[in-house]
């Protein structure tokens, strides 16, 4: 009887031992994702997945390619007011080695639009000064980035003076118009034909008017043409006479025609110019004609004196011009 009781006790102990051993093994297998028994592996209820933890069993996290920087093809931009816009090129350099021209895809903003503005890679000067242009770019694959571009704006080459040819205009009623040529002189000394850029205005359209840079005669008289370009101006005197058939130079005392005259040094001779018109009438036009001298150092016509004035020994030819007609006077100085 004692042997039987001892045997039953041993059997129960074995069953309990097997049950406890199997339960421990089962518990260990639920804690081990690889289902291997590790006597040192204990279950941690606070162990959670961390995508940035390199030691985690699920591996490393890959954030994908991105824009490392936007590169501008120049360190800064220098432009002049009124000059051509500056063009920049912006390249997006990405982490995977990709490079993209994003110049026209960027959004541009200026911290001072009174100095410069920008759009699609073109920077335009507005006024003198300094400012910064910000270029911003966004891409669905590579993300966003931005870059600043320093801009320096200086004063442009400004128009300083207008030069007009001819300096004065003589026309005949019913005659052909005279074209004006206007040359702009700039602060850097350069010159440019600005005729087509000018505004012309006559102070008496009944005498002469301007159209397309040409002065047209209307009626006998005088007027002044004002020419302006970029707030710079000048004037041209216009004289309109009746159509002249012939000009004659005469002695002021005798009114006899003169072809030549001989004078002493520092001497003078008063003369008149008479015009014969197409309708047969005549009239004095001395103050209306334009005078030239081949050798002004020898002699020339002086408007203030109404006379030919001799300066030095020699010979020269004076020419009076009006209404497309000319008359010459030979002057000898002894």
């Amino acid at each position: 009887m004692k042997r039987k009781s001892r045997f039953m006790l041993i059997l129960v102990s074995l069953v309990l031992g097997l049950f406890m051993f199997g339960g421990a093994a089962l518990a260990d297998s639920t804690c081990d994702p690889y289902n291997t028994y590790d006597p040192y592996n204990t279950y941690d209820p606070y162990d959670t997945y961390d995508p940035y933890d390199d030691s985690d069993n699920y591996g490393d996290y890959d954030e994908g390619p991105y824009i490392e920087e936007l590169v501008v093809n120049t360190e800064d931009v220098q432009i002049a007011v009124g000059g051509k816009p500056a063009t920049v090129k912006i390249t997006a350099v990405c982490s995977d080695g990709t490079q993209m021209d994003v110049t026209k895809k960027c959004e541009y903003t200026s911290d001072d639009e009174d100095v410069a503005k920008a759009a699609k890679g073109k920077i335009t000067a507005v006024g003198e000064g300094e400012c910064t242009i910000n270029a911003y770019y966004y891409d669905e694959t590579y993300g966003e980035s931005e870059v600043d571009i320093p801009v320096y704006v200086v004063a442009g080459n400004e128009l300083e003076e207008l030069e007009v040819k001819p300096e004065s205009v003589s026309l005949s009623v019913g005659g052909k118009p005279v074209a004006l040529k206007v040359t702009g002189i700039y602060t850097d000394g350069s010159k440019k034909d600005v005729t087509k850029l000018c505004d012309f205005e006559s102070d008496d359209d009944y005498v002469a008017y301007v159209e397309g840079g040409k002065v047209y005669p209307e009626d006998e008289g005088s007027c002044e043409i004002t020419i302006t370009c970029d707030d710079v101006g000048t004037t041209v005197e216009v004289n309109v006479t009746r159509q002249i058939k012939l000009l004659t130079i005469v002695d002021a005392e005798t009114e006899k025609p003169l072809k030549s005259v001989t004078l002493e040094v520092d001497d003078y001779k008063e003369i008149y110019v008479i015009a014969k018109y197409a309708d047969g009438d005549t009239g004095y036009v001395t103050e209306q004609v334009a005078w030239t001298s081949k050798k002004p150092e020898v002699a020339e016509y002086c408007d203030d004196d109404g006379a030919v004035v001799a300066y030095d020994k020699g010979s020269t030819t004076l020419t009076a011009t009006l209404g497309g007609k000319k008359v010459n006077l030979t002057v000898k100085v002894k």
Side-chain angles (χ1 to χ4, degrees):
M1 187 67 179
K2 289 182 179 179
R3 289 182 179 179
K4 187 175 181 180
S5 298
R6 185 178 296 174
F7 175 76
M8 290 298 293
L9 182 60
I10 293 172
L11 181 61
V12 171
S13 298
L14 288 173
V15 172
L16 290 173
L18 288 173
F19 178 79
M20 293 177 66
F21 177 81
L26 180 61
D28 286 341
S29 67
T30 59
C31 295
D32 186 358
Y34 299 97
N35 200 26
T36 58
Y37 172 67
D38 182 358
Y40 300 102
N41 183 23
T42 58
Y43 172 69
D44 182 3
Y46 300 102
D47 185 15
T48 58
Y49 169 65
D50 183 358
Y52 301 101
D53 186 358
D54 292 340
S55 65
D56 195 276
N57 290 330
Y58 290 94
D60 296 339
Y61 173 75
D62 186 6
E63 65 178 0
Y66 58 91
I67 299 175
E68 292 182 339
E69 62 176 335
L70 294 182
V71 179
V72 187
N73 65 334
T74 181
E75 292 184 0
D76 55 50
V77 171
Q78 298 184 19
I79 47 180
V81 177
K84 293 182 179 180
T87 301
V88 297
K89 180 180 179 181
I90 300 178
T91 303
V93 179
C94 304
S95 59
D96 62 358
T98 300
Q99 293 190 8
M100 303 179 291
D101 183 352
V102 297
T103 306
K104 294 184 178 180
K105 297 179 181 179
C106 288
E107 294 181 9
Y108 296 87
T109 55
S110 172
D111 65 357
D112 191 343
E113 293 191 347
D114 290 331
V115 175
K117 297 180 180 180
K120 296 183 178 180
K122 290 188 176 181
I123 301 175
T124 304
V126 178
E128 290 183 67
E130 301 177 9
C131 71
T132 299
I133 299 294
N134 176 268
Y136 170 82
Y137 175 70
Y138 171 76
D139 184 88
E140 291 184 357
T141 301
Y142 293 97
E144 62 184 356
S145 187
E146 61 183 344
V147 65
D148 288 335
I149 307 169
V151 178
Y152 304 94
V153 180
V154 298
N157 188 23
E158 297 180 353
L159 181 63
E160 189 174 44
E161 182 182 350
L162 295 179
E163 184 179 83
V164 185
K165 295 293 182 182
E167 295 179 358
S168 61
V169 177
S170 295
L171 300 170
S172 297
V173 176
K176 294 181 180 180
V178 171
L180 299 176
K181 181 180 179 181
V182 186
T183 301
I185 303 174
Y186 291 82
T187 51
D188 65 353
S190 62
K191 295 184 178 182
K192 177 183 176 181
D193 186 349
V194 295
T195 306
K196 294 183 179 180
L197 304 177
C198 292
D199 293 323
F200 301 86
E201 185 177 357
S202 171
D203 65 354
D204 192 343
D205 288 334
Y206 290 103
V207 174
Y209 66 93
V210 185
E211 189 174 281
K214 292 183 178 180
V215 184
Y216 291 83
E218 279 288 288
D219 199 359
E220 189 175 10
S222 298
C223 67
E224 186 176 77
I225 303 297
T226 299
I227 305 167
T228 56
C229 181
D230 291 342
D231 297 326
V232 178
T234 188
T235 59
V236 171
E237 294 292 332
V238 178
N239 289 310
V240 180
T241 60
R242 288 181 291 172
Q243 190 171 0
I244 297 172
K245 187 176 181 180
L246 180 68
L247 290 177
T248 303
I249 297 175
V250 300
D251 188 311
E253 294 181 2
T254 65
E255 292 199 3
K256 290 183 178 181
L258 289 175
K259 295 290 185 180
S260 64
V261 62
T262 300
L263 300 172
E264 300 283 343
V265 174
D266 294 332
D267 198 3
Y268 67 92
K269 180 70 174 179
E270 291 185 6
I271 59 174
Y272 296 146
V273 180
I274 298 176
K276 183 177 181 180
Y277 299 102
D279 58 7
D281 287 344
T282 60
Y284 293 97
V285 293
T286 310
E287 295 180 356
Q288 299 175 37
V289 298
W291 289 95
T292 59
S293 174
K294 284 187 176 181
K295 295 181 180 180
E297 69 276 10
V298 174
E300 65 179 355
Y301 180 83
C302 182
D303 290 322
D304 293 338
D305 298 326
V308 177
V309 180
Y311 299 124
D312 199 0
K313 292 181 180 181
S315 180
T316 185
T317 299
L318 274 59
T319 301
T321 304
L322 180 65
K325 300 297 181 179
K326 296 181 179 181
V327 62
N328 295 327
L329 177 67
T330 300
V331 180
K332 296 179 181 179
V333 181
K334 298 188 294 181

